[in-house]
């Protein structure tokens, strides 16, 4: 039995800094400027198709807010501090990742509201990342709205969705909205070529173009096909 378990490319080469996020410069630039200026909103809404960087960007933002190597939020988290490494691994106590599809009831959001009052354990902010937030029930959205209206200063919400039209306008109005774009074929080819170089592997330009075209603008899909 092999000592090292195989790690799929999408996880192995997941971007760990804003500069590494492919095809979303309009978003990463805005987030970095907000962090630098200290104008950090309490709620972000990340919108876009699956596999184009919403969760990745959310984790980088969480690291930027809680990096221990800086005495304040930084647009360039070190990636080495205990907070940075635990956030990247998905097991940081102050960064809570919630699946909206399976935690979509009003009781789930009420439990979140009860926990959010507690101060962060190791960082500056408690960051709540709710994926597929459009799957929350009407009651859950109403409970979430109350929290977004009066959040504690140490709380930041990052809501992610593939179906923006299902998000109530009252929720959208209380968030900073970021629309993620499908990644152009040339950028996907460049990404795949860089991954192959790091892996010490080769592929023809025709093969990479076929993979990028089949992925239809999705970073994760292109890496999965390459696998």
């Amino acid at each position: 039995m092999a000592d090292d378990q195989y790690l799929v490319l999408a996880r192995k080469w997941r971007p760990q800094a804003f500069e590494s996020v492919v095809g979303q410069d309009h978003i990463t630039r805005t987030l970095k400027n907000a962090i630098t200026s200290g104008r950090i909103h309490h709620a972000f809404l990340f919108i876009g198709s699956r596999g184009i960087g919403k969760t990745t960007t959310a984790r980088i933002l969480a690291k930027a807010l809680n990096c221990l190597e800086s005495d304040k939020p930084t647009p360039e988290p070190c990636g080495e501090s205990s907070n940075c490494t635990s956030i990247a691994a998905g097991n940081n106590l102050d960064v809570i990742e919630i699946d909206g599809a399976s935690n979509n009831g009003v009781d789930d959001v009420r439990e979140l509201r009860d926990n959010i009052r507690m101060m962060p354990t190791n960082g500056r902010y408690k960051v709540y990342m709710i994926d597929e937030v459009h799957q929350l029930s009407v009651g859950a959205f109403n409970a979430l709205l109350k929290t977004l209206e009066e959040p504690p200063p140490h709380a930041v919400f990052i809501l992610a969705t593939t179906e923006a039209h299902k998000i109530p306008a009252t929720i959208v109005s209380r968030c900073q909205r970021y629309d993620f774009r499908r990644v152009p074929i040339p950028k996907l080819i460049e990404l795949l070529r860089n991954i192959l170089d790091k892996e010490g592997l080769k592929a023809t330009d025709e093969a990479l173009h076929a993979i990028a075209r089949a992925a239809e603008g999705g970073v994760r899909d292109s890496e999965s096909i390459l696998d």
Side-chain angles (χ1 to χ4, degrees), residues 37-212:
S37 66
R39 297 176 179 176
I40 300 166
H41 204 270
H42 69 274
F44 301 83
L45 179 59
F46 288 178
I47 296 170
S49 57
R50 63 186 180 87
I52 58 174
K54 299 188 299 298
T55 300
T56 292
T57 302
R59 286 184 178 178
I60 296 171
L61 176 57
K63 289 195 296 184
L65 296 176
N66 284 327
C67 178
L68 296 176
E69 286 299 307
S70 175
D71 58 2
K72 62 182 180 179
T74 172
E76 298 178 353
C78 72
E80 303 294 334
S81 71
S82 58
N83 270 356
C84 286
T85 54
S86 59
I87 290 171
N91 56 23
N92 186 278
L93 295 176
D94 294 323
V95 180
I96 299 92
E97 299 189 26
I98 301 167
D99 177 16
S102 55
N103 299 275
N104 58 5
V106 63
D107 290 339
D108 295 310
V109 178
R110 283 175 177 165
E111 181 180 354
L112 182 155
R113 288 176 58 191
D114 291 339
N115 293 335
I116 202 172
R117 300 296 167 185
M118 294 186 291
M119 295 295 293
T121 304
N122 299 311
R124 303 177 191 89
Y125 293 92
K126 290 186 79 73
V127 182
Y128 290 85
M129 299 161 48
I130 307 180
D131 194 23
E132 299 300 347
V133 68
H134 64 271
Q135 297 201 37
L136 296 186
S137 66
V138 174
F141 269 128
N142 288 336
L144 179 61
L145 178 61
K146 292 181 180 178
T147 304
L148 293 180
E149 286 175 336
E150 298 179 0
H154 60 262
V156 170
F157 285 87
I158 307 174
L159 314 179
T161 181
T162 54
E163 300 188 43
H165 62 282
K166 294 184 179 180
I167 309 295
T170 50
I171 297 290
V172 175
S173 68
R174 285 164 177 78
C175 300
Q176 278 191 347
R177 173 172 173 158
Y178 292 83
D179 288 272
F180 285 67
R181 302 167 181 164
R182 291 183 181 273
V183 180
I185 287 177
K187 285 190 173 294
L188 286 179
I189 292 175
E190 182 182 359
L191 169 68
L192 297 177
R193 180 64 71 191
N194 286 337
I195 290 176
L196 288 173
D197 289 344
K198 292 173 183 175
E199 293 283 336
L201 301 172
K202 295 184 180 299
T204 64
D205 292 339
E206 292 80 3
L208 295 185
H209 189 276
I211 291 172

